PDB file of all heavy atoms in Angstrom:
ATOM      1  N   CYS A  67      24.902 -14.522 -19.487  1.00 85.00           N
ATOM      2  CA  CYS A  67      24.407 -14.080 -20.798  1.00 85.00           C
ATOM      3  C   CYS A  67      24.847 -15.078 -21.866  1.00 85.00           C
ATOM      4  O   CYS A  67      25.533 -16.074 -21.597  1.00 85.00           O
ATOM      5  CB  CYS A  67      24.928 -12.698 -21.131  1.00 85.00           C
ATOM      6  SG  CYS A  67      26.693 -12.624 -21.498  1.00 85.00           S
ATOM      7  N   ILE A  68      24.465 -14.800 -23.084  1.00 85.00           N
ATOM      8  CA  ILE A  68      24.737 -15.723 -24.228  1.00 85.00           C
ATOM      9  C   ILE A  68      26.252 -15.848 -24.480  1.00 85.00           C
ATOM     10  O   ILE A  68      26.683 -16.836 -25.039  1.00 85.00           O
ATOM     11  CB  ILE A  68      23.970 -15.243 -25.481  1.00 85.00           C
ATOM     12  CG1 ILE A  68      24.010 -16.327 -26.549  1.00 85.00           C
ATOM     13  CG2 ILE A  68      24.603 -13.956 -25.995  1.00 85.00           C
ATOM     14  CD1 ILE A  68      23.150 -16.015 -27.738  1.00 85.00           C
ATOM     15  N   ASN A  69      27.000 -14.832 -24.067  1.00 86.00           N
ATOM     16  CA  ASN A  69      28.450 -14.849 -24.224  1.00 86.00           C
ATOM     17  C   ASN A  69      29.171 -15.463 -23.024  1.00 86.00           C
ATOM     18  O   ASN A  69      30.396 -15.329 -22.904  1.00 86.00           O
ATOM     19  CB  ASN A  69      28.984 -13.425 -24.465  1.00 86.00           C
ATOM     20  CG  ASN A  69      28.481 -12.847 -25.751  1.00 86.00           C
ATOM     21  OD1 ASN A  69      28.303 -13.531 -26.737  1.00 86.00           O
ATOM     22  ND2 ASN A  69      28.213 -11.543 -25.750  1.00 86.00           N
ATOM     23  N   ASN A  70      28.381 -16.125 -22.192  1.00 88.00           N
ATOM     24  CA  ASN A  70      28.935 -16.822 -21.009  1.00 88.00           C
ATOM     25  C   ASN A  70      29.600 -15.874 -20.023  1.00 88.00           C
ATOM     26  O   ASN A  70      30.577 -16.197 -19.365  1.00 88.00           O
ATOM     27  CB  ASN A  70      29.941 -17.897 -21.416  1.00 88.00           C
ATOM     28  CG  ASN A  70      30.063 -18.969 -20.389  1.00 88.00           C
ATOM     29  OD1 ASN A  70      29.125 -19.289 -19.652  1.00 88.00           O
ATOM     30  ND2 ASN A  70      31.263 -19.556 -20.264  1.00 88.00           N
ATOM     31  N   ARG A  71      29.064 -14.646 -19.909  1.00 90.00           N
ATOM     32  CA  ARG A  71      29.526 -13.681 -18.921  1.00 90.00           C
ATOM     33  C   ARG A  71      28.505 -13.560 -17.828  1.00 90.00           C
ATOM     34  O   ARG A  71      27.297 -13.510 -18.092  1.00 90.00           O
ATOM     35  CB  ARG A  71      29.745 -12.315 -19.569  1.00 90.00           C
ATOM     36  CG  ARG A  71      30.923 -12.293 -20.530  1.00 90.00           C
ATOM     37  CD  ARG A  71      30.928 -11.007 -21.357  1.00 90.00           C
ATOM     38  NE  ARG A  71      31.119  -9.822 -20.528  1.00 90.00           N
ATOM     39  CZ  ARG A  71      32.260  -9.274 -20.195  1.00 90.00           C
ATOM     40  NH1 ARG A  71      33.406  -9.851 -20.627  1.00 90.00           N
ATOM     41  NH2 ARG A  71      32.319  -8.187 -19.440  1.00 90.00           N
ATOM     42  N   SER A  72      28.980 -13.570 -16.572  1.00 92.00           N
ATOM     43  CA  SER A  72      28.059 -13.585 -15.415  1.00 92.00           C
ATOM     44  C   SER A  72      27.761 -12.159 -14.973  1.00 92.00           C
ATOM     45  O   SER A  72      28.649 -11.313 -14.890  1.00 92.00           O
ATOM     46  CB  SER A  72      28.711 -14.347 -14.280  1.00 92.00           C
ATOM     47  OG  SER A  72      27.857 -14.380 -13.159  1.00 92.00           O
ATOM     48  N   TYR A  73      26.482 -11.907 -14.655  1.00 94.00           N
ATOM     49  CA  TYR A  73      26.023 -10.600 -14.213  1.00 94.00           C
ATOM     50  C   TYR A  73      25.148 -10.760 -12.950  1.00 94.00           C
ATOM     51  O   TYR A  73      24.501 -11.804 -12.752  1.00 94.00           O
ATOM     52  CB  TYR A  73      25.207  -9.872 -15.270  1.00 94.00           C
ATOM     53  CG  TYR A  73      26.013  -9.457 -16.471  1.00 94.00           C
ATOM     54  CD1 TYR A  73      26.248 -10.332 -17.515  1.00 94.00           C
ATOM     55  CD2 TYR A  73      26.564  -8.180 -16.532  1.00 94.00           C
ATOM     56  CE1 TYR A  73      26.983  -9.956 -18.622  1.00 94.00           C
ATOM     57  CE2 TYR A  73      27.328  -7.768 -17.634  1.00 94.00           C
ATOM     58  CZ  TYR A  73      27.542  -8.664 -18.670  1.00 94.00           C
ATOM     59  OH  TYR A  73      28.274  -8.296 -19.745  1.00 94.00           O
ATOM     60  N   ILE A  74      25.142  -9.694 -12.138  1.00 94.00           N
ATOM     61  CA  ILE A  74      24.280  -9.671 -10.956  1.00 94.00           C
ATOM     62  C   ILE A  74      23.576  -8.314 -10.927  1.00 94.00           C
ATOM     63  O   ILE A  74      24.190  -7.260 -11.135  1.00 94.00           O
ATOM     64  CB  ILE A  74      25.074  -9.861  -9.643  1.00 94.00           C
ATOM     65  CG1 ILE A  74      25.721 -11.247  -9.615  1.00 94.00           C
ATOM     66  CG2 ILE A  74      24.167  -9.703  -8.434  1.00 94.00           C
ATOM     67  CD1 ILE A  74      26.505 -11.522  -8.351  1.00 94.00           C
ATOM     68  N   ALA A  75      22.259  -8.345 -10.668  1.00 94.00           N
ATOM     69  CA  ALA A  75      21.494  -7.103 -10.580  1.00 94.00           C
ATOM     70  C   ALA A  75      20.894  -6.979  -9.211  1.00 94.00           C
ATOM     71  O   ALA A  75      20.538  -7.944  -8.566  1.00 94.00           O
ATOM     72  CB  ALA A  75      20.384  -7.090 -11.634  1.00 94.00           C
ATOM     73  N   VAL A  76      20.790  -5.710  -8.753  1.00 95.00           N
ATOM     74  CA  VAL A  76      20.189  -5.429  -7.439  1.00 95.00           C
ATOM     75  C   VAL A  76      19.184  -4.294  -7.633  1.00 95.00           C
ATOM     76  O   VAL A  76      19.474  -3.265  -8.241  1.00 95.00           O
ATOM     77  CB  VAL A  76      21.266  -4.971  -6.411  1.00 95.00           C
ATOM     78  CG1 VAL A  76      20.601  -4.662  -5.062  1.00 95.00           C
ATOM     79  CG2 VAL A  76      22.343  -6.017  -6.260  1.00 95.00           C
ATOM     80  N   THR A  77      17.956  -4.500  -7.111  1.00 95.00           N
ATOM     81  CA  THR A  77      16.900  -3.507  -7.234  1.00 95.00           C
ATOM     82  C   THR A  77      16.369  -3.169  -5.840  1.00 95.00           C
ATOM     83  O   THR A  77      16.172  -4.047  -5.017  1.00 95.00           O
ATOM     84  CB  THR A  77      15.746  -4.036  -8.113  1.00 95.00           C
ATOM     85  OG1 THR A  77      16.275  -4.436  -9.382  1.00 95.00           O
ATOM     86  CG2 THR A  77      14.704  -2.982  -8.307  1.00 95.00           C
ATOM     87  N   ALA A  78      16.143  -1.878  -5.638  1.00 95.00           N
ATOM     88  CA  ALA A  78      15.609  -1.398  -4.353  1.00 95.00           C
ATOM     89  C   ALA A  78      14.133  -1.087  -4.526  1.00 95.00           C
ATOM     90  O   ALA A  78      13.692  -0.517  -5.547  1.00 95.00           O
ATOM     91  CB  ALA A  78      16.339  -0.151  -3.859  1.00 95.00           C
ATOM     92  N   HIS A  79      13.335  -1.431  -3.507  1.00 96.00           N
ATOM     93  CA  HIS A  79      11.883  -1.180  -3.516  1.00 96.00           C
ATOM     94  C   HIS A  79      11.547  -0.411  -2.225  1.00 96.00           C
ATOM     95  O   HIS A  79      11.964  -0.818  -1.135  1.00 96.00           O
ATOM     96  CB  HIS A  79      11.101  -2.490  -3.569  1.00 96.00           C
ATOM     97  CG  HIS A  79      11.571  -3.417  -4.647  1.00 96.00           C
ATOM     98  ND1 HIS A  79      11.069  -3.361  -5.942  1.00 96.00           N
ATOM     99  CD2 HIS A  79      12.506  -4.388  -4.657  1.00 96.00           C
ATOM    100  CE1 HIS A  79      11.658  -4.273  -6.671  1.00 96.00           C
ATOM    101  NE2 HIS A  79      12.541  -4.921  -5.908  1.00 96.00           N
ATOM    102  N   PHE A  80      10.798   0.653  -2.364  1.00 95.00           N
ATOM    103  CA  PHE A  80      10.445   1.495  -1.224  1.00 95.00           C
ATOM    104  C   PHE A  80       9.211   2.293  -1.514  1.00 95.00           C
ATOM    105  O   PHE A  80       8.775   2.408  -2.669  1.00 95.00           O
ATOM    106  CB  PHE A  80      11.610   2.408  -0.832  1.00 95.00           C
ATOM    107  CG  PHE A  80      12.041   3.332  -1.947  1.00 95.00           C
ATOM    108  CD1 PHE A  80      11.511   4.591  -2.062  1.00 95.00           C
ATOM    109  CD2 PHE A  80      12.993   2.900  -2.865  1.00 95.00           C
ATOM    110  CE1 PHE A  80      11.921   5.445  -3.099  1.00 95.00           C
ATOM    111  CE2 PHE A  80      13.387   3.748  -3.909  1.00 95.00           C
ATOM    112  CZ  PHE A  80      12.853   5.020  -4.019  1.00 95.00           C
ATOM    113  N   ILE A  81       8.651   2.894  -0.470  1.00 93.00           N
ATOM    114  CA  ILE A  81       7.463   3.760  -0.621  1.00 93.00           C
ATOM    115  C   ILE A  81       7.921   5.202  -0.421  1.00 93.00           C
ATOM    116  O   ILE A  81       8.560   5.501   0.611  1.00 93.00           O
ATOM    117  CB  ILE A  81       6.389   3.392   0.463  1.00 93.00           C
ATOM    118  CG1 ILE A  81       5.921   1.955   0.221  1.00 93.00           C
ATOM    119  CG2 ILE A  81       5.204   4.339   0.372  1.00 93.00           C
ATOM    120  CD1 ILE A  81       4.932   1.472   1.268  1.00 93.00           C
ATOM    121  N   ASP A  82       7.633   6.040  -1.376  1.00 88.00           N
ATOM    122  CA  ASP A  82       8.085   7.417  -1.281  1.00 88.00           C
ATOM    123  C   ASP A  82       7.196   8.259  -0.407  1.00 88.00           C
ATOM    124  O   ASP A  82       6.224   7.782   0.219  1.00 88.00           O
ATOM    125  CB  ASP A  82       8.202   8.040  -2.698  1.00 88.00           C
ATOM    126  CG  ASP A  82       6.852   8.128  -3.409  1.00 88.00           C
ATOM    127  OD1 ASP A  82       5.824   7.896  -2.738  1.00 88.00           O
ATOM    128  OD2 ASP A  82       6.831   8.456  -4.621  1.00 88.00           O
ATOM    129  N   GLY A  83       7.445   9.565  -0.359  1.00 85.00           N
ATOM    130  CA  GLY A  83       6.688  10.480   0.500  1.00 85.00           C
ATOM    131  C   GLY A  83       5.224  10.611   0.113  1.00 85.00           C
ATOM    132  O   GLY A  83       4.398  11.000   0.928  1.00 85.00           O
ATOM    133  N   ASP A  84       4.896  10.295  -1.149  1.00 87.00           N
ATOM    134  CA  ASP A  84       3.501  10.346  -1.619  1.00 87.00           C
ATOM    135  C   ASP A  84       2.766   9.044  -1.461  1.00 87.00           C
ATOM    136  O   ASP A  84       1.621   8.934  -1.912  1.00 87.00           O
ATOM    137  CB  ASP A  84       3.481  10.793  -3.092  1.00 87.00           C
ATOM    138  CG  ASP A  84       4.070  12.177  -3.321  1.00 87.00           C
ATOM    139  OD1 ASP A  84       3.931  12.991  -2.387  1.00 87.00           O
ATOM    140  OD2 ASP A  84       4.673  12.431  -4.353  1.00 87.00           O
ATOM    141  N   GLY A  85       3.421   8.083  -0.819  1.00 88.00           N
ATOM    142  CA  GLY A  85       2.747   6.801  -0.608  1.00 88.00           C
ATOM    143  C   GLY A  85       2.788   5.885  -1.821  1.00 88.00           C
ATOM    144  O   GLY A  85       1.988   4.927  -1.863  1.00 88.00           O
ATOM    145  N   LYS A  86       3.629   6.150  -2.796  1.00 91.00           N
ATOM    146  CA  LYS A  86       3.702   5.341  -3.996  1.00 91.00           C
ATOM    147  C   LYS A  86       4.853   4.352  -3.909  1.00 91.00           C
ATOM    148  O   LYS A  86       5.915   4.675  -3.400  1.00 91.00           O
ATOM    149  CB  LYS A  86       3.874   6.221  -5.242  1.00 91.00           C
ATOM    150  CG  LYS A  86       2.689   7.168  -5.494  1.00 91.00           C
ATOM    151  CD  LYS A  86       2.955   7.996  -6.735  1.00 91.00           C
ATOM    152  CE  LYS A  86       1.796   8.926  -7.028  1.00 91.00           C
ATOM    153  NZ  LYS A  86       2.026   9.781  -8.249  1.00 91.00           N
ATOM    154  N   MET A  87       4.608   3.146  -4.431  1.00 93.00           N
ATOM    155  CA  MET A  87       5.678   2.149  -4.463  1.00 93.00           C
ATOM    156  C   MET A  87       6.630   2.480  -5.576  1.00 93.00           C
ATOM    157  O   MET A  87       6.245   2.712  -6.738  1.00 93.00           O
ATOM    158  CB  MET A  87       5.080   0.721  -4.677  1.00 93.00           C
ATOM    159  CG  MET A  87       6.106  -0.337  -4.880  1.00 93.00           C
ATOM    160  SD  MET A  87       7.131  -0.640  -3.412  1.00 93.00           S
ATOM    161  CE  MET A  87       5.933  -1.510  -2.390  1.00 93.00           C
ATOM    162  N   CYS A  88       7.925   2.496  -5.253  1.00 93.00           N
ATOM    163  CA  CYS A  88       8.968   2.837  -6.221  1.00 93.00           C
ATOM    164  C   CYS A  88       9.980   1.701  -6.308  1.00 93.00           C
ATOM    165  O   CYS A  88      10.299   1.061  -5.279  1.00 93.00           O
ATOM    166  CB  CYS A  88       9.682   4.144  -5.839  1.00 93.00           C
ATOM    167  SG  CYS A  88       8.610   5.565  -5.729  1.00 93.00           S
ATOM    168  N   SER A  89      10.481   1.479  -7.487  1.00 94.00           N
ATOM    169  CA  SER A  89      11.526   0.478  -7.718  1.00 94.00           C
ATOM    170  C   SER A  89      12.652   1.101  -8.506  1.00 94.00           C
ATOM    171  O   SER A  89      12.405   1.710  -9.534  1.00 94.00           O
ATOM    172  CB  SER A  89      10.981  -0.743  -8.469  1.00 94.00           C
ATOM    173  OG  SER A  89       9.988  -1.410  -7.694  1.00 94.00           O
ATOM    174  N   VAL A  90      13.857   0.995  -7.999  1.00 94.00           N
ATOM    175  CA  VAL A  90      15.050   1.575  -8.626  1.00 94.00           C
ATOM    176  C   VAL A  90      16.145   0.542  -8.758  1.00 94.00           C
ATOM    177  O   VAL A  90      16.498  -0.115  -7.786  1.00 94.00           O
ATOM    178  CB  VAL A  90      15.556   2.789  -7.821  1.00 94.00           C
ATOM    179  CG1 VAL A  90      16.866   3.333  -8.462  1.00 94.00           C
ATOM    180  CG2 VAL A  90      14.516   3.879  -7.742  1.00 94.00           C
ATOM    181  N   CYS A  91      16.645   0.373  -9.966  1.00 93.00           N
ATOM    182  CA  CYS A  91      17.755  -0.571 -10.192  1.00 93.00           C
ATOM    183  C   CYS A  91      19.043   0.069  -9.691  1.00 93.00           C
ATOM    184  O   CYS A  91      19.510   1.087 -10.225  1.00 93.00           O
ATOM    185  CB  CYS A  91      17.899  -0.909 -11.684  1.00 93.00           C
ATOM    186  SG  CYS A  91      19.215  -2.073 -12.045  1.00 93.00           S
ATOM    187  N   LEU A  92      19.616  -0.510  -8.645  1.00 94.00           N
ATOM    188  CA  LEU A  92      20.849   0.054  -8.067  1.00 94.00           C
ATOM    189  C   LEU A  92      22.086  -0.373  -8.837  1.00 94.00           C
ATOM    190  O   LEU A  92      23.128   0.318  -8.756  1.00 94.00           O
ATOM    191  CB  LEU A  92      20.976  -0.390  -6.615  1.00 94.00           C
ATOM    192  CG  LEU A  92      19.777  -0.084  -5.669  1.00 94.00           C
ATOM    193  CD1 LEU A  92      20.154  -0.452  -4.249  1.00 94.00           C
ATOM    194  CD2 LEU A  92      19.376   1.378  -5.771  1.00 94.00           C
ATOM    195  N   GLY A  93      22.019  -1.430  -9.542  1.00 91.00           N
ATOM    196  CA  GLY A  93      23.164  -1.885 -10.309  1.00 91.00           C
ATOM    197  C   GLY A  93      22.902  -3.138 -11.063  1.00 91.00           C
ATOM    198  O   GLY A  93      22.143  -4.025 -10.632  1.00 91.00           O
ATOM    199  N   CYS A  94      23.529  -3.257 -12.202  1.00 91.00           N
ATOM    200  CA  CYS A  94      23.527  -4.494 -13.011  1.00 91.00           C
ATOM    201  C   CYS A  94      24.953  -4.625 -13.554  1.00 91.00           C
ATOM    202  O   CYS A  94      25.292  -4.031 -14.577  1.00 91.00           O
ATOM    203  CB  CYS A  94      22.498  -4.418 -14.136  1.00 91.00           C
ATOM    204  SG  CYS A  94      22.437  -5.923 -15.166  1.00 91.00           S
ATOM    205  N   GLU A  95      25.765  -5.372 -12.837  1.00 91.00           N
ATOM    206  CA  GLU A  95      27.209  -5.368 -13.072  1.00 91.00           C
ATOM    207  C   GLU A  95      27.746  -6.721 -13.453  1.00 91.00           C
ATOM    208  O   GLU A  95      27.234  -7.763 -13.053  1.00 91.00           O
ATOM    209  CB  GLU A  95      27.948  -4.822 -11.821  1.00 91.00           C
ATOM    210  CG  GLU A  95      27.529  -3.455 -11.392  1.00 91.00           C
ATOM    211  CD  GLU A  95      28.289  -2.955 -10.213  1.00 91.00           C
ATOM    212  OE1 GLU A  95      29.290  -3.646  -9.819  1.00 91.00           O
ATOM    213  OE2 GLU A  95      27.954  -1.883  -9.637  1.00 91.00           O
ATOM    214  N   TYR A  96      28.824  -6.662 -14.229  1.00 92.00           N
ATOM    215  CA  TYR A  96      29.558  -7.880 -14.579  1.00 92.00           C
ATOM    216  C   TYR A  96      30.261  -8.423 -13.346  1.00 92.00           C
ATOM    217  O   TYR A  96      30.935  -7.700 -12.610  1.00 92.00           O
ATOM    218  CB  TYR A  96      30.556  -7.549 -15.670  1.00 92.00           C
ATOM    219  CG  TYR A  96      31.524  -8.667 -16.018  1.00 92.00           C
ATOM    220  CD1 TYR A  96      31.078  -9.914 -16.410  1.00 92.00           C
ATOM    221  CD2 TYR A  96      32.903  -8.449 -15.860  1.00 92.00           C
ATOM    222  CE1 TYR A  96      31.964 -10.930 -16.709  1.00 92.00           C
ATOM    223  CE2 TYR A  96      33.798  -9.437 -16.163  1.00 92.00           C
ATOM    224  CZ  TYR A  96      33.341 -10.695 -16.567  1.00 92.00           C
ATOM    225  OH  TYR A  96      34.220 -11.710 -16.856  1.00 92.00           O
ATOM    226  N   PHE A  97      30.057  -9.711 -13.094  1.00 91.00           N
ATOM    227  CA  PHE A  97      30.582 -10.354 -11.872  1.00 91.00           C
ATOM    228  C   PHE A  97      31.491 -11.491 -12.301  1.00 91.00           C
ATOM    229  O   PHE A  97      31.002 -12.592 -12.660  1.00 91.00           O
ATOM    230  CB  PHE A  97      29.453 -10.834 -10.984  1.00 91.00           C
ATOM    231  CG  PHE A  97      29.877 -11.168  -9.585  1.00 91.00           C
ATOM    232  CD1 PHE A  97      30.039 -10.204  -8.644  1.00 91.00           C
ATOM    233  CD2 PHE A  97      30.047 -12.499  -9.225  1.00 91.00           C
ATOM    234  CE1 PHE A  97      30.403 -10.506  -7.330  1.00 91.00           C
ATOM    235  CE2 PHE A  97      30.421 -12.821  -7.917  1.00 91.00           C
ATOM    236  CZ  PHE A  97      30.614 -11.815  -6.981  1.00 91.00           C
TER     237      PHE A  97
END
């Protein structure tokens, strides 16, 4: 980021029971 702090994000992608594509952010953490 602009303050020189490092971050890592992880996002999960899957198809739910209705056949729809879903994306959920599992984490965006300071590393």
Side-chain angles (χ1 to χ4, degrees):
C67 71
I68 193 173
N69 296 325
N70 203 32
R71 291 168 63 89
S72 180
Y73 292 85
I74 296 181
V76 180
T77 304
H79 310 272
F80 57 92
I81 298 176
D82 64 9
D84 297 328
K86 296 181 180 179
M87 174 66 74
C88 301
S89 297
V90 176
C91 180
L92 305 186
C94 180
E95 301 183 8
Y96 171 58
F97 195 80

